[in-house]
Amino acid sequence: MASPAERYATMRRRQQGGSIEDFAAGYAFALDPFQIRACQALAAGRGVLVAAPTGAGKTVVGEYAVHLALAGGRKCFYTTPIKALSNQKYADLAERHGAERVGLLTGDNSVNGDAPVVVMTTEVLRNMLYAGSPTLGGLGYVVMDEVHYLADRFRGAVWEEVIIHLPDSVQLVSLSATVSNAEEFGDWLGTVRGETLVVVEERRPVPLYQHVMVGPRLLDLFVDEGQSGEPSGDRTRVNPELLRAARDDDRAERFGDRRPQRGGHRPRRRGGAYTPRRTEVLERLDAAGLLPAITFVFSRAGCDAAVVQVLQSGVRLTDAEQRAEIRRTIAERTADLPEEDLAVLGYHDWAEGLERGVAAHHAGMLPAFKEVVEDLFSRGLVKAVFATETLALGINMPARCVVLERLVKWNGETHAEVTPGEYTQLTGRAGRRGIDVEGHAVVLWQPGLDPSALAGLASTRTYPLRSSFRPSYNMAVNLVRQVGRATARELLESSFAQFQADRAVVGLARQLRTAEEGLAGYAEAMTCEAGDAREYAGLRRAVREREATLARQGSVQRRAAVTDALGRLRQGDVVRVPGGRFAGLAVVLQAARSGGREEGPRPTVLTEGRQVRRLSVADAPAPVEALGRMRIPKAFNPKVPASRRDLAAALRRSAPAFEPDGDAKRVRRDRARAAHDAELVRLGRSLREHPVHHCPEREQHMRWAERHLRLEREADQLRRRVEHRTNTIARQFDRVCALLEQTGYLRGDEVTSEGRRLARLYTELDLVAAQCLREGLWEGLAPAELAACVSALTYESRQPDDVAPPRLPPGRVPTVLAQMVRGWADLEHLERAHGLDFLREPDLGFAHTAWRWASGHPLEAVLITAALTAGDFVRAMKQLLDLLDQVAEAAGPGSVRSTAQAAGAALRRGVVAYSSLTGA
């Protein structure tokens, strides 16, 4: 039952028009129970975490926070991880609530920033919090869409920074993909934000069915899927046809003729088990009524090639009316693109593909082109999109069907199999709520495909959320400036990263307490009135360990001696093999041959039992010495049984002339070595002189002492693991602060003037940028030269490290870049000394391109020499513009500020200026 305060809050919101009923009336569909639960919690003044599949409608809860803010006269910030999603959400909210009440802040764009509802990237809100922006006044709600991005290795810390630093008066709405540890994340939100309701919805609003396309056939993956699209019974019940196809495919691969035929194509399997061509896939999906479809290719070049392949086949998926509408949309959305740039941007081929209902979608495309694709696809005008996995990250672009061409993708370092979490994220795009009654996921048949493994992938819902938080240099100076070093340390200890580490520590600490209780009991049980039983047990253990050490040393020496002895044997030598399968006398038939590093020399011998064998180190636990010699008849042939029999008989007759094996001698030598070891002698004397040695109950005490020693070792290991996990974030913060103190950015609790400059630089290479400003490296540069130099701190090449050195602009730029790299090397040396590893090496690969663009060169000339796609070029430019704006702010009055501003103005032209108005 609701408390009086909750009932009052509900009443007030009803009076102000913020009721759930009023809100729900604005939608064409009824709200689901999970949406209503989350909205009720918001209306009652609580925070919420909603974890639900793609397309389930979790953004409705975020939109209710917007509704409450507008109804109550407060502000709501709606944050997203990427600018494209911010642009999309801004358009949605502006259409729903009116453009005058909705703003957009993405770094590129600043539209109506003082509106009561502002959509922004998460980084923008983080920067506002650190700067104490007046825009935060009256803030009542913050929606964090795609909050699971906090697991992102490079950007994830931003989400935790925002969650920790938001004022307590702000209600937080966290929207996440389905994660397996939502309750754990919700518990953390409760500790740092107050009462938070966790709402987990695992049911998809549109059922998803799984298929494999084997040649022209579209086969169900599971044979027992129910109405929900999930396997209804045994989740491992895989379609027997697929299992049979896999067996036939494997048999054909091993025994059939798979040599390429004319044209490089491999022959198709009997029964149609082959990888279908893209045109076949589209035709089959179209015939089954499964378009529009998104095909994930995992390669930019592959996406573009797929479109070309489909167009060359003559496929057309649109009618005349649709083509006319597509042409109108293209003309409206690209009217501001410079006419002279259209050819180099591939505009005409792109437009032709759209008119025929086919398009690519990847990060290498011009942002404006991607936006048109998204718009046309969402309206059902484009029917087939070939995309990289980046499309699955947030963009609202659902389809009736999702196709995965392969289950392996390049992860930046190697080709790796798609994980269950990635598979769920990708296939989650299938099934449009309110349009489709069901969605479909199709995996194309590939040689070696394991249907059972695919079934496991499709039925696994494990996607744990793991924090990637770590304190950066910029974060450290901002925190120290705001709250002081001690409080900053405490704040960082409240991070999700530390919360997860502490959760693990709880279990370890419980094991440690149990171990310590056991140690106390063992200590009592082993008590001896004669003396310290624990000390005596330690002496006994030391004796055993020393004996073991000596035995190991002897073993190493013996192996070396055996190897040496085997290598010296010659034909006719008579030896006695000490043990093993060939124990006894043997005569050497052939001198040693090297058997490799592991086996050592291997002479061939004839044993008394008439066996011809090659001896190895494993056959001789002791050195095999020649006891005498025998003549090997010239006519001896080891392959002839009579020859072997005669020689073995001669060997046995001569046996009395050879001394017995030296095994006993070896044992005596080992004992002698031990008897003369000074450390072992000392330990033995201490053991015999210890008072416990003479206790009649000594062995009983020792049984308990041995248990105590074993458990003590386990407890020590547990203590080390606990210490390693406890206060990890605070210890890292201490190391960051120590480095900043050494370099003059901090002085105890005081942030120096240089530290205040660092606080304004939000970039991966924040400290390198601050050092460049501090040392005046950028003084006296022209705007285009400054753009070239600053680009080294924002650009990261997609090319391998072993490519040719990058081309650099003329003039001072090469000298300044060299100074920047030396400065980075000095900082990296400092980082190693402090146990840190934050700063990557500056990348000079974009310097020439930035210089040319800022110098006014045309787009075609710049792209040809840069070897970049239009999308990569624009994205790199926008990242550079972001940092140039920060440099201008951080530099303060002077030439660097004016030069940075001029550089930004020079870069904001053509497709870059157009893109910055439409986002990306």
Side-chain angles (χ1 to χ4, degrees):
M1 183 176 178
S3 67
E6 290 173 334
R7 289 198 299 273
Y8 176 75
T10 302
M11 179 194 71
R12 289 290 297 156
R13 288 191 172 89
R14 284 181 182 277
Q15 292 173 346
Q16 296 167 356
S19 70
I20 297 174
E21 291 79 6
D22 293 340
F23 170 70
Y27 289 89
F29 54 86
L31 299 191
D32 289 339
F34 86 91
Q35 294 168 326
I36 294 172
R37 280 185 63 215
C39 290
Q40 287 172 338
L42 272 179
R46 301 162 68 187
V48 293
L49 165 64
V50 181
T54 300
K58 52 183 174 287
T59 55
V60 167
V61 182
E63 290 167 4
Y64 182 59
V66 172
H67 179 77
L68 286 175
L70 292 173
R74 304 176 75 188
K75 287 184 179 180
C76 177
F77 288 170
Y78 197 110
T79 73
T80 75
I82 53 179
K83 294 172 184 177
L85 190 54
S86 292
N87 296 335
Q88 200 172 66
K89 202 66 200 177
Y90 166 71
D92 292 345
L93 293 175
E95 183 178 359
R96 178 176 290 273
H97 300 289
E100 72 282 357
R101 297 207 285 179
V102 182
L104 176 66
L105 297 173
T106 63
D108 288 338
N109 298 326
S110 179
V111 179
N112 200 16
D114 293 324
V117 178
V118 183
V119 183
M120 61 185 68
T121 53
T122 318
E123 281 89 350
V124 169
L125 179 53
R126 186 271 311 273
N127 300 354
M128 290 169 64
L129 287 167
Y130 281 151
S133 170
T135 308
L136 295 167
L139 182 63
Y141 302 88
V142 166
V143 180
M144 302 197 79
D145 205 351
E146 310 286 342
V147 73
H148 53 274
Y149 257 78
L150 67 78
D152 184 82
R153 177 182 167 192
F154 300 105
R155 300 172 56 214
V158 175
W159 277 257
E160 293 190 49
E161 290 178 78
V162 169
I163 291 169
I164 292 169
H165 299 312
L166 276 174
D168 293 340
S169 58
V170 175
Q171 280 181 252
L172 185 66
V173 182
S174 303
L175 307 178
S176 170
T178 305
V179 293
S180 55
N181 60 334
E183 289 77 10
E184 178 188 43
F185 185 47
D187 288 346
W188 173 69
L189 288 172
T191 65
V192 294
R193 301 297 317 160
E195 190 176 4
T196 300
L197 175 69
V198 178
V199 178
V200 177
E201 175 62 37
E202 295 185 348
R203 183 185 63 85
R204 285 174 48 92
V206 179
L208 176 65
Y209 292 89
Q210 310 280 346
H211 313 277
V212 178
M213 193 166 176
V214 185
R217 297 180 300 160
L218 195 62
L219 300 179
D220 293 337
L221 174 59
F222 297 104
V223 295
D224 56 355
E225 287 181 316
Q227 293 182 349
S228 66
E230 298 286 350
S232 59
D234 180 0
R235 295 179 72 87
T236 61
R237 185 81 188 282
V238 181
N239 190 334
E241 273 196 83
L242 287 174
L243 296 173
R244 190 160 49 249
R247 287 195 299 270
D248 291 345
D249 189 76
D250 180 64
R251 190 178 302 113
E253 186 69 40
R254 286 185 288 128
F255 303 114
D257 182 8
R258 299 294 295 153
R259 290 171 297 180
Q261 297 176 338
R262 183 176 300 175
H265 299 295
R266 293 186 180 276
R268 296 189 173 188
R269 304 280 194 226
R270 185 176 55 189
Y274 63 90
T275 305
R277 295 188 179 93
R278 287 167 176 142
T279 50
E280 287 182 284
V281 174
L282 286 183
E283 289 166 357
R284 181 70 180 84
L285 295 180
D286 194 17
L290 296 183
L291 296 180
I294 298 171
T295 299
F296 287 107
V297 181
F298 302 139
S299 158
R300 296 178 179 187
C303 292
D304 295 333
V307 173
V308 171
Q309 182 183 12
V310 171
L311 295 183
Q312 287 176 344
S313 71
V315 167
R316 187 181 298 278
L317 303 173
T318 54
D319 57 31
E321 184 179 344
Q322 291 171 331
R323 288 194 291 277
E325 178 60 25
I326 289 169
R327 280 194 293 271
R328 279 194 298 272
T329 301
I330 293 173
E332 291 171 4
R333 298 291 295 272
T334 63
D336 294 328
L337 281 176
E339 183 73 27
E340 64 273 16
D341 291 341
L342 294 183
V344 69
L345 293 174
Y347 170 88
H348 301 290
D349 291 340
W350 167 75
E352 181 191 356
L354 291 177
E355 285 190 36
R356 291 166 68 174
V358 181
H361 188 287
H362 56 75
M365 292 173 64
L366 190 71
F369 286 7
K370 282 197 298 181
E371 291 168 7
V372 174
V373 171
E374 292 159 13
D375 177 35
L376 293 175
F377 189 82
S378 64
R379 289 158 57 190
L381 296 171
V382 167
K383 310 299 177 68
V385 166
F386 295 91
T388 58
E389 70 272 22
T390 53
L391 183 147
L393 302 177
I395 300 299
N396 182 26
M397 197 171 160
R400 180 168 296 163
C401 177
V402 163
V403 179
L404 274 68
E405 289 198 338
R406 302 182 69 87
L407 295 176
V408 174
K409 71 184 191 74
W410 178 256
N411 62 11
E413 297 178 358
T414 184
H415 285 92
E417 293 184 357
V418 171
T419 67
E422 290 168 337
Y423 185 88
T424 300
Q425 185 85 2
L426 295 168
T427 57
R429 291 282 160 193
R432 299 165 296 177
R433 187 172 189 176
I435 301 176
D436 301 318
V437 295
E438 60 192 35
H440 297 265
V442 177
V443 175
L444 301 190
W445 181 268
Q446 296 287 342
L449 179 71
D450 181 354
S452 298
L454 174 59
L457 198 65
S459 59
T460 299
R461 295 293 180 265
T462 302
Y463 179 54
L465 190 60
R466 293 283 175 258
S467 172
S468 60
F469 182 86
R470 62 179 187 174
S472 67
Y473 301 114
N474 170 278
M475 186 194 306
V477 291
N478 272 299
L479 286 175
V480 173
R481 184 180 60 168
Q482 286 187 334
V483 298
R485 200 152 158 179
T487 305
R489 202 175 191 275
E490 293 173 7
L491 276 172
L492 294 176
E493 286 287 68
S494 65
S495 67
F496 187 43
Q498 190 58 56
F499 183 83
Q500 289 190 308
D502 289 344
R503 279 286 178 97
V505 166
V506 168
L508 293 174
R510 188 182 301 116
Q511 295 178 47
L512 182 57
R513 282 195 300 273
T514 302
E516 288 172 342
E517 291 168 4
L519 286 172
Y522 290 164
E524 183 178 349
M526 71 182 185
T527 302
C528 176
E529 295 180 358
D532 188 339
R534 181 179 177 182
E535 182 182 68
Y536 182 76
L539 282 171
R540 282 177 48 148
R541 171 155 293 189
V543 168
R544 287 199 301 271
E545 289 177 351
R546 184 59 185 168
E547 287 175 339
T549 298
L550 291 172
R552 284 194 299 272
Q553 291 173 351
S555 176
V556 171
Q557 292 169 359
R558 279 196 303 277
R559 182 180 177 89
V562 168
T563 300
D564 182 61
L566 289 175
R568 289 199 308 268
L569 293 177
R570 295 294 178 263
Q571 186 184 51
D573 284 344
V574 176
V575 298
R576 181 172 292 278
V577 182
R581 293 173 296 168
F582 313 132
L585 284 178
V587 59
V588 177
L589 302 178
Q590 189 175 30
R593 290 179 180 175
S594 176
R597 183 177 298 177
E598 295 298 321
E599 294 180 330
R602 300 191 63 189
T604 303
V605 300
L606 175 72
T607 68
E608 290 179 281
R610 297 183 292 184
Q611 295 173 309
V612 176
R613 291 290 184 267
R614 292 177 66 191
L615 286 184
S616 70
V617 173
D619 299 318
V624 177
E625 306 292 346
L627 306 177
R629 291 186 61 78
M630 284 183 62
R631 190 180 67 83
I632 307 296
K634 288 184 179 181
F636 176 78
N637 185 344
K639 295 182 179 181
V640 177
S643 292
R644 295 199 303 271
R645 183 188 61 225
D646 293 344
L647 186 57
L651 177 64
R652 287 193 296 274
R653 287 195 299 272
S654 61
F658 305 122
E659 68 177 64
D661 76 66
D663 219 24
K665 287 184 178 181
R666 176 177 58 81
V667 173
R668 288 196 296 272
R669 284 198 302 269
D670 288 348
R671 288 176 178 169
R673 185 186 298 111
H676 289 90
D677 181 73
E679 176 64 11
L680 191 59
V681 169
R682 184 191 67 77
L683 288 170
R685 185 184 305 114
S686 299
L687 190 71
R688 290 188 297 274
E689 292 175 354
H690 198 281
V692 176
H693 189 70
H694 306 290
C695 175
E697 298 179 346
R698 179 186 68 191
E699 293 310 311
Q700 182 178 345
H701 297 323
M702 288 305 97
R703 282 194 293 274
W704 288 109
E706 284 297 326
R707 295 173 187 171
H708 187 281
L709 286 169
R710 280 197 302 271
L711 189 57
E712 191 171 46
R713 281 203 307 271
E714 294 174 12
D716 286 342
Q717 291 174 352
L718 287 169
R719 285 190 193 94
R720 285 193 294 272
R721 291 172 66 188
V722 168
E723 289 168 5
H724 178 71
R725 290 175 179 263
T726 303
N727 302 320
T728 51
I729 303 299
R731 288 202 304 271
Q732 192 173 44
F733 175 69
D734 291 340
R735 294 196 294 271
V736 168
C737 289
L739 188 150
L740 291 174
E741 276 197 293
Q742 185 176 341
T743 49
Y745 292 92
L746 288 179
R747 192 178 297 118
D749 259 14
E750 178 192 352
V751 178
T752 66
S753 59
E754 297 298 338
R756 290 192 292 275
R757 175 181 282 166
L758 172 60
R760 296 186 179 96
L761 296 168
Y762 300 96
T763 176
E764 185 184 0
L765 296 179
D766 47 9
L767 195 55
V768 178
Q771 286 287 91
C772 290
L773 286 170
R774 180 181 189 175
E775 296 170 6
L777 295 186
W778 296 334
E779 296 281 352
L781 291 174
E785 292 176 325
L786 180 61
C789 292
V790 173
S791 75
L793 305 182
T794 59
Y795 183 69
E796 282 193 83
S797 174
R798 290 169 52 87
Q799 300 298 321
D801 294 336
D802 57 354
V803 296
R807 184 179 178 185
L808 298 178
R812 286 189 56 204
V813 172
T815 302
V816 175
L817 287 173
Q819 291 172 320
M820 289 170 62
V821 172
R822 282 197 295 271
W824 161 81
D826 292 340
L827 289 173
E828 187 194 36
H829 180 73
L830 273 179
E831 280 195 322
R832 284 201 302 269
H834 287 273
L836 299 169
D837 181 20
F838 289 173
L839 303 173
R840 64 167 176 83
E841 183 175 357
D843 191 324
L844 315 186
F846 196 66
H848 190 261
T849 302
W851 173 77
R852 294 197 78 198
W853 185 251
S855 299
H857 289 261
L859 180 65
E860 182 175 10
V862 171
L863 289 184
I864 289 174
T865 57
L868 289 172
T869 66
D872 286 337
F873 169 75
V874 170
R875 185 171 61 257
M877 279 298 172
K878 291 197 293 182
Q879 291 169 344
L880 174 55
L881 282 165
D882 280 348
L883 186 53
L884 280 171
D885 290 344
Q886 295 171 30
V887 167
E889 174 72 17
S895 63
V896 173
R897 168 175 284 184
S898 58
T899 304
Q901 292 170 338
L907 294 175
R908 287 185 176 93
R909 65 182 180 88
V911 292
V912 176
Y914 175 76
S915 174
S916 68
L917 292 173
T918 59

